[in-house]
Amino acid sequence: MRGSDGKPVPDAVVTVYPGGQPTKGPIKFDWPYRVAQQNIQFTPFVLIAPAGAEVSFPNLDKVRHHVYSFSAGNKFELKLYGREENRTVRMPAVGVAAIGCNIHDQMVGFIKVVDTQYAAKSDASGKAVIRGAPDGAVVVKVWHPYLRAPKNEKTLPLAALKGAVAQDVAIDLRAPAMTH
């Protein structure tokens, strides 16, 4: 995943839908469904979680945070809570929960709530690896909070998988909105 400037793009979410369909049955990823508040920021900046997952929001800072999302289907509010306290929120709806802190406007994060077990986030080098997707027709999408596209997502021109497939993707990002 590269930006139009050729630089690697981390935190882009790639989803693969075999036959264009969501995964039937429960989805489990091997990373924690967790967004910590640390150094007055959300870590990770982007989390992938399956629809229905419980996501924890531990506060690792010395200050209190008031975490919220106004995103349709995944609205929540965690009133002020302090260091080493934890709160959990269920993410019922497929889509994106943009999260913020009522006290620290510079804190921004995103939870990409998915309905496919084939999902991965690009790393610092811009690579996202999805394992185990079956051969055959697929719909592949890329989402990034600053992607210039409707709902920050675009469908890739990859129509089928056969064995291991690597694809270089260039995406056009807009500058993040600065809230100061």
Side-chain angles (χ1 to χ4, degrees), residues 38-122:
Q38 193 166 20
N39 303 322
I40 320 293
Q41 60 187 8
F42 291 114
T43 310
F45 172 59
V46 172
L47 172 73
I48 304 170
E54 297 271 334
V55 176
S56 69
F57 291 86
N59 183 353
L60 307 178
D61 282 333
K62 290 189 172 102
V63 297
R64 300 197 315 160
H65 292 294
H66 184 137
V67 180
Y68 68 89
S69 173
F70 295 130
S71 301
N74 291 307
K75 288 186 171 115
F76 68 88
E77 185 172 13
L78 303 175
K79 304 268 187 198
L80 279 176
Y81 65 107
R83 182 175 173 83
E84 294 182 13
E85 287 190 274
N86 189 19
R87 299 285 185 272
T88 306
V89 176
R90 198 169 119 69
M91 294 289 147
V94 171
V96 177
I99 51 178
C101 175
N102 260 352
I103 302 167
H104 307 99
D105 285 347
Q106 76 274 24
M107 290 177 67
V108 175
F110 298 90
I111 300 170
K112 177 73 169 132
V113 183
V114 300
D115 57 356
T116 176
Q117 69 189 40
Y118 306 108
K121 185 171 77 167
S122 59

Side-chain angles (χ1 to χ4, degrees), residues 2-30:
R2 302 203 166 276
S4 45
D5 58 4
K7 291 190 175 122
V9 175
D11 295 313
V13 174
V14 178
T15 48
V16 176
Y17 291 87
Q21 297 302 307
T23 298
K24 289 179 177 43
I27 298 169
K28 180 81 183 92
F29 295 118
D30 57 6

Side-chain angles (χ1 to χ4, degrees), residues 87-175:
R87 299 285 185 272
T88 306
V89 176
R90 198 169 119 69
M91 294 289 147
V94 171
V96 177
I99 51 178
C101 175
N102 260 352
I103 302 167
H104 307 99
D105 285 347
Q106 76 274 24
M107 290 177 67
V108 175
F110 298 90
I111 300 170
K112 177 73 169 132
V113 183
V114 300
D115 57 356
T116 176
Q117 69 189 40
Y118 306 108
K121 185 171 77 167
S122 59
D123 60 17
S125 68
K127 283 195 180 10
V129 177
I130 294 177
R131 301 192 192 290
D135 287 354
V138 291
V139 173
V140 180
K141 297 181 178 182
V142 175
W143 174 90
H144 187 279
Y146 307 127
L147 180 61
R148 283 185 200 271
K151 295 187 173 177
N152 305 325
E153 189 165 58
K154 74 179 212 175
T155 300
L156 298 185
L158 181 67
L161 292 181
K162 181 132 180 61
V165 176
Q167 184 168 16
D168 284 328
V169 177
I171 55 178
D172 190 15
L173 302 180
R174 63 182 182 276

